[in-house]
């Protein structure tokens, strides 16, 4: 057992939450408090209703997520599904902690860092600034494109569907990773000097733009590319605070 307060204080410092720039509706940090004790950690990508119920049923007392409870203009109306999951969490004494771009940006536990490690990138450095903070990673990997695709498929679950714009070199050398929905940034990515860009998803036009820019783009799924950070963070906390943890998989297919 551990106290919720020291865990939250540790996370805030570890992830550099204070002052970290993010989207206006992404509230990073403790979004829902519990009675103050943590006996089991659950990790998930989204704080959606099925995940909250699964965390409570699994007797978790802290849920770590990448996408938290507040994501739309109606975030202050606790009705419908928002009411149901809030009630379930309160009745189950479940605290909810979210970290969006700060978790993306973490140099070792972040989504991009962990995906880069899984596909064996070398010489990895921070990449792609958002309001002054890099939220991705870049690295080197001398491999043919099909070999890279196999590594990515293995990393994101094997059966995940990859959409590939094969407009860059067949021999891949310089790879940039920004997980989630960064496909709209293909022009800036191409100017950075990488020949291959791995992200989760992008708008329709990003594919044809990448073709014209001569950039390989691998869309590996928004959800699939953002499972890495919460897993690594939960495993890290488990070791530090001697707490069991589990990952709640609730894929969207997107």
């Amino acid at each position: 057992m551990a106290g919720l307060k020291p865990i939250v204080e540790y996370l805030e410092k570890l992830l550099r939450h204070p002052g970290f720039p993010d989207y206006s509706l992404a509230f990073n940090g403790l979004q829902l408090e519990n009675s103050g004790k943590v006996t089991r950690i659950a990790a998930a990508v989204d704080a959606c209703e099925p995940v909250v119920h699964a965390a409570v049923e699994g007797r978790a007392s802290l849920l770590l997520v990448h996408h938290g409870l507040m994501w739309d203009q109606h975030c202050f109306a606790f009705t419908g599904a928002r009411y149901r999951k809030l009630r379930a969490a309160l009745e189950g004494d479940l605290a909810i902690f979210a970290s969006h771009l700060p978790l993306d940006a973490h140099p070792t536990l972040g989504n991009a860092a962990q995906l880069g490690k899984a596909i064996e990138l070398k010489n990895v450095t921070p990449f792609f600034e958002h309001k002054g903070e890099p939220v991705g990673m870049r690295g080197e990997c001398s491999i043919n494109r099909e070999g890279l695709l196999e590594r990515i498929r293995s990393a994101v679950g094997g059966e995940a569907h990859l959409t590939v714009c094969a407009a860059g070199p067949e021999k891949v050398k310089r790879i940039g990773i920004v997980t989630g929905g960064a496909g709209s940034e293909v022009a800036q990515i191409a100017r950075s000097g990488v020949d291959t860009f791995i992200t989760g998803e992008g708008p329709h036009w990003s594919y044809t733009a990448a073709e014209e820019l001569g950039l390989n783009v691998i869309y590996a799924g928004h959800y699939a590319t953002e499972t890495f950070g919460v897993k690594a963070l939960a495993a890290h906390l488990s070791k530090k605070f001697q707490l069991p943890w589990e990952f709640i998989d609730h894929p969207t297919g997107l």
Side-chain angles (χ1 to χ4, degrees):
M1 182 183 298
L4 178 64
K5 184 178 179 180
I7 292 176
V8 170
E9 289 176 347
Y10 177 77
L11 286 171
E12 290 287 306
K13 184 176 180 180
L14 175 71
L15 298 167
R16 299 188 297 123
H17 276 183
F20 199 103
D22 208 326
Y23 303 114
S24 60
L25 295 173
F27 179 82
N28 293 309
L30 185 64
Q31 296 191 342
L32 182 65
E33 198 170 6
N34 73 352
S35 62
K37 297 177 182 178
V38 177
T39 57
R40 185 177 181 85
I41 298 169
V45 175
D46 304 289
C48 57
E49 188 175 4
V51 163
V52 170
H53 281 289
V56 171
E57 289 168 6
R59 300 188 179 277
S61 42
L62 173 60
L63 174 62
L64 301 174
V65 294
H66 188 50
H67 304 134
L69 293 167
M70 284 75 82
W71 276 103
D72 58 53
Q73 297 292 342
H74 304 289
C75 64
F76 297 111
F78 290 94
T79 59
R82 183 172 283 111
Y83 162 71
R84 293 192 300 270
K85 62 185 176 182
L86 180 63
R87 182 181 67 180
L90 290 171
E91 291 177 350
D93 198 30
L94 177 69
I96 300 176
F97 185 98
S99 186
H100 186 232
L101 290 186
L103 181 56
D104 284 322
H106 196 275
T108 58
L109 301 176
N111 287 309
Q114 287 288 312
L115 178 52
K117 180 180 179 181
I119 63 173
E120 302 177 39
L121 287 193
K122 307 297 182 185
N123 302 318
V124 177
T125 57
F127 175 66
F128 190 76
E129 287 194 359
H130 170 75
K131 297 182 179 179
E133 290 284 354
V135 294
M137 292 286 164
R138 67 181 293 167
E140 300 171 359
C141 188
S142 184
I143 190 173
N144 63 45
R145 191 167 49 227
E146 189 54 43
L148 176 62
L149 292 175
E150 286 304 311
R151 289 187 185 183
I152 296 171
R153 287 190 186 97
S154 177
V156 300
E159 299 302 318
H161 173 71
L162 305 183
T163 298
V164 181
C165 174
E170 197 279 332
K171 185 72 172 181
V172 173
K173 293 183 178 180
R174 297 179 300 278
I175 300 171
I177 304 174
V178 184
T179 61
S184 58
E185 306 296 342
V186 289
Q188 184 175 340
I189 297 295
R191 289 194 295 269
S192 73
V194 301
D195 55 56
T196 301
F197 177 42
I198 304 169
T199 189
E201 63 174 325
H204 172 79
W205 59 261
S206 67
Y207 186 104
T208 54
E211 282 185 314
E212 295 173 352
L213 290 163
L215 179 69
N216 289 321
V217 180
I218 302 167
Y219 306 88
H222 194 133
Y223 176 88
T225 60
E226 294 193 328
T227 61
F228 295 91
V230 289
K231 289 179 181 179
L233 184 61
H236 178 82
L237 286 183
S238 174
K239 184 176 181 180
K240 181 170 181 62
F241 291 93
Q242 298 298 298
L243 293 167
W245 75 278
E246 66 172 329
F247 176 67
I248 299 173
D249 194 17
H250 187 71
T252 62
L254 301 175

